[in-house]
Amino acid sequence: MPTERSTDRTSDEGPERPTAHAPSAPPAAPAGRTDPVEAADLGGAVGLFAEESRARAFAAVVLGAATPAQVTERTGLSPKDAATALRRLRDQGVIAEGGDGLAVVYDRFRQLARSARASKPAAASYGSGDERSETVLRTFVRDGRLVRLPAQWERKLVVLRHIAERTFEPGVEYPERTVNEKLRAWCEDAPVDHVTLRRYLVDLHHLHRRVGIYRRPATAV
């Protein structure tokens, strides 16, 4: 993606033209959400440069072409193809034509960049209260499912404790069949089975087992 250049350079046509400015931006969407129109504009702007003729026409304007004739000359496009490409670029607001001719609307790219940042979903929170644990859980647990068990023991402990706390209520007694059903739900997409998970939880005292009945202790392990 082109970047804004210093205005002190010159071209064969004379001093560089002032940068065109985008129209006033629409009201911002609420924090954490992108307006559907802005999202569509972002996709359309990115799609512009999937077509070679538009990419070449835009590059010519970046490098100083001020008229369709100059764009045609510098890109090797036919006059018709150059005119079509320029029209699409103007429609998306990435170039504009003013008193000094064609120019890049850098403000439009800033607007699109802001829309892209706003559309990025917030990182999931697992309620651990610890950023290192949150990072581990975001890697190995997604949408209430186990991706895989970490190889590193400290990370494995974080994941197993999370599973125990999210699956079993303290002090409640669960028959083995219920424990298996609950742990199978965690393992649907993971290369580990519910028996392995159950064994870990018992060995780490997240679950106490007695005569086929399992209970999570009230005191955190």
Side-chain angles (χ1 to χ4, degrees):
M1 189 65 66
T3 56
E4 189 169 6
R5 297 176 181 271
S6 172
T7 56
D8 62 357
R9 69 176 179 86
T10 59
S11 66
D12 294 339
E13 291 74 30
E16 188 180 46
R17 302 177 308 281
T19 300
H21 295 283
S24 298
R33 182 173 64 84
T34 302
D35 187 277
V37 175
E38 288 187 0
D41 287 349
L42 178 60
V46 172
L48 277 176
F49 302 103
E51 168 58 48
E52 182 182 355
S53 63
R54 294 193 289 266
R56 290 164 66 180
F58 181 79
V61 175
V62 170
L63 295 174
T67 66
Q70 289 176 355
V71 171
T72 299
E73 178 184 356
R74 298 185 185 191
T75 60
L77 297 171
S78 69
K80 180 179 178 181
D81 288 344
T84 300
L86 291 171
R87 183 174 66 252
R88 290 295 304 278
L89 293 167
R90 283 193 295 265
D91 289 346
Q92 284 292 338
V94 297
I95 66 170
E97 189 167 7
D100 295 315
L102 298 170
V104 175
V105 184
Y106 289 105
D107 284 348
R108 177 60 170 157
F109 287 98
R110 297 187 187 98
Q111 179 189 35
L112 294 172
R114 287 193 295 268
S115 296
R117 288 193 295 269
S119 66
K120 185 178 180 179
S125 174
Y126 293 84
S128 68
D130 176 71
E131 185 55 37
R132 293 180 64 185
S133 296
E134 290 288 306
T135 300
V136 171
L137 293 172
R138 281 194 290 266
T139 302
F140 296 98
V141 176
R142 294 175 191 166
D143 300 323
R145 297 290 185 271
L146 179 65
V147 176
R148 65 184 187 278
L149 276 178
Q152 186 177 344
W153 183 243
E154 288 80 3
R155 294 179 179 181
K156 188 176 294 184
L157 293 177
V158 170
V159 172
L160 292 168
R161 177 171 180 166
H162 175 78
I163 291 174
E165 292 178 346
R166 291 301 177 94
T167 309
F168 305 103
E169 292 293 331
V172 176
E173 294 185 339
Y174 298 90
E176 186 166 281
R177 180 179 61 185
T178 302
V179 172
N180 289 342
E181 289 174 356
K182 288 178 173 293
L183 294 180
R184 279 194 190 98
W186 286 95
C187 300
E188 286 183 0
D189 302 316
V192 62
D193 58 31
H194 68 282
V195 176
T196 300
L197 277 187
R198 191 185 69 206
R199 185 181 305 117
Y200 272 125
L201 295 179
V202 171
D203 290 347
L204 293 171
H205 305 291
H206 288 303
L207 289 178
H208 292 172
R209 177 176 56 195
R210 183 177 182 182
V211 195
I213 299 297
Y214 294 75
R215 180 176 57 83
R216 181 182 156 213
T219 304
V221 179

